[in-house]
Amino acid sequence: MEQTELLDLQGVAQPPRRMLRKHSGFSVETVRPDLGAAFSYDWTSNLHFCAYHDIVLEDGGIRAGDGAEDNRRDLRHTLTYVPRGARVSGWSSLSRRKNSFTAIYFDPASMREELGARFIERADEKVYYRSEEVEGYMRQWARLLAQDHSDGLYEEALGLVTVLAIHKASTYEFKAGRPLGRASLALVEEFIDENLGSDLTLSALAEITGLSRFHFSRAFKSATGETPYQRVLRRRMERAKLLMASGEMSINQIAECLGFQDASYFQRTFRSWVGMSVKEFRDRR
């Protein structure tokens, strides 16, 4: 039984395509094996693991912990949850379709501190179960990981609510965080305005207030009516309109100045947020 951080697929003719994002306390990946690939796995980890499946099998079986082998074939829209220290083993022969799974790996000690939640010490493994809430978050992750660009601030927040959703069915105590005072809020707003061109992270914003990322997100939305991600986007779009109105910078320069990885991503975001294209906005002057 091999212990690795990420689930290792053994015996594949060609290594699967893996799209991975790492953040403090958790990692998320989408794995896409070749059409009709066959593989096995025998794995344990010191991280909790939850996978969302978009997979149809020709044949296969999975065993988690001390449970019996499960031989279901159509795994679409199902989840598998394996807590740290539990063994998961099995084999799969995939159908000739575009199969994939998206998995989140997280450190329970780190998440306990972040969320103010005391999770039960020994959670049960769950194979091919359903949860609309967790599925919704994992489908968001699958779409994000398929994109060329990333947004650390949004992904940090999404990771935290995903972990909390995974554990909602477990017994935990939830401790409400303290509210965000006016002075702390002013410092956060100032930091955002001064760093719109940087890769702003939830960790950096939370550190200003002394709150965990999760409690900062809740407190910020309670105080402003917006998530930190929405506020940063709003300020970037407001700054973009000012820069475009001045006519002194190109679209590429404005995108770079506001922390966007490429001009096309900036233009898509601008249209979505402002309700018109960059060209339409400039033509109004």
Side-chain angles (χ1 to χ4, degrees):
M1 181 172 57
E2 184 178 1
Q3 180 163 327
T4 58
E5 180 177 324
L6 303 180
L7 179 60
D8 183 31
L9 305 183
Q10 303 164 0
V12 288
Q14 294 291 333
R17 183 185 177 196
R18 307 188 86 134
M19 293 150 284
L20 174 68
R21 303 272 171 79
K22 291 188 175 183
H23 295 280
S24 176
F26 68 91
S27 300
V28 189
E29 69 168 347
T30 291
V31 180
R32 293 179 180 170
D34 284 348
L35 296 178
F39 53 83
S40 63
Y41 46 90
D42 191 351
W43 177 75
T44 186
S45 175
N46 60 355
L47 300 177
H48 282 30
F49 164 85
C50 185
Y52 169 70
H53 309 289
D54 182 9
I55 291 175
V56 178
L57 301 176
E58 291 292 336
D59 202 359
I62 183 175
R63 185 190 305 273
D66 299 324
E69 185 173 86
D70 192 309
N71 301 107
R72 273 175 277 184
R73 305 284 182 85
D74 190 344
L75 313 183
R76 290 173 292 183
H77 310 295
T78 67
L79 300 151
T80 293
Y81 175 59
V82 181
R84 65 175 179 177
R87 180 181 183 182
V88 59
S89 60
W91 55 283
S92 298
S93 178
L94 303 179
S95 64
R96 295 193 64 81
R97 63 182 292 274
K98 292 182 179 180
N99 293 288
S100 67
F101 67 86
T102 300
I104 183 169
Y105 309 79
F106 58 93
D107 172 34
S110 175
M111 291 297 99
R112 184 182 303 117
E113 181 179 347
E114 286 275 5
L115 303 176
R118 182 173 298 170
F119 302 120
I120 55 178
E121 291 298 321
R122 183 67 174 89
D124 292 330
E125 305 87 5
K126 293 187 287 186
V127 174
Y128 303 153
Y129 73 101
R130 292 180 181 270
S131 165
E132 289 187 5
E133 184 178 20
V134 177
E135 177 185 343
Y137 291 136
M138 296 303 287
R139 287 169 68 92
Q140 286 186 56
W141 276 113
R143 290 192 293 270
L144 286 173
L145 293 169
Q147 298 173 355
D148 293 332
H149 59 268
S150 62
D151 192 315
L153 180 59
Y154 181 78
E155 291 179 5
E156 281 185 286
L158 180 60
L160 294 173
V161 296
T162 302
V163 170
L164 187 62
I166 290 168
H167 279 287
K168 270 189 175 178
S170 302
T171 302
Y172 65 84
E173 298 173 1
F174 189 79
K175 180 174 60 178
R178 59 180 172 84
L180 193 60
R182 290 183 179 180
S184 293
L185 179 59
L187 289 173
V188 172
E189 298 276 24
E190 182 180 358
F191 183 84
I192 290 173
D193 285 342
E194 291 178 351
N195 293 275
L196 288 177
S198 304
D199 183 16
L200 286 166
T201 67
L202 196 58
S203 300
L205 297 179
E207 186 177 352
I208 296 170
T209 66
L211 297 173
S212 72
R213 291 176 296 178
F214 179 72
H215 287 301
F216 166 71
S217 294
R218 290 168 59 91
F220 188 89
K221 185 171 184 180
S222 177
T224 67
E226 292 182 313
T227 66
Y229 176 71
Q230 289 169 333
R231 179 53 62 93
V232 169
L233 266 188
R234 179 185 297 281
R235 295 298 298 127
R236 282 175 170 159
M237 294 302 99
E238 290 171 352
R239 183 74 58 82
K241 288 190 285 187
L242 291 175
L243 292 174
M244 283 191 287
S246 73
E248 297 177 357
M249 299 174 68
S250 69
I251 298 302
N252 286 341
Q253 289 172 325
I254 292 173
E256 183 178 356
C257 176
L258 295 176
F260 288 88
Q261 296 179 6
D262 59 70
S264 60
Y265 178 39
F266 163 68
Q267 291 184 73
R268 290 195 302 271
T269 304
F270 187 89
R271 176 187 284 276
S272 174
W273 191 266
V274 179
M276 65 180 70
S277 70
V278 167
K279 183 179 184 303
E280 289 170 335
F281 181 84
R282 282 194 151 173
D283 288 346
R284 295 175 60 190
R285 292 192 295 118

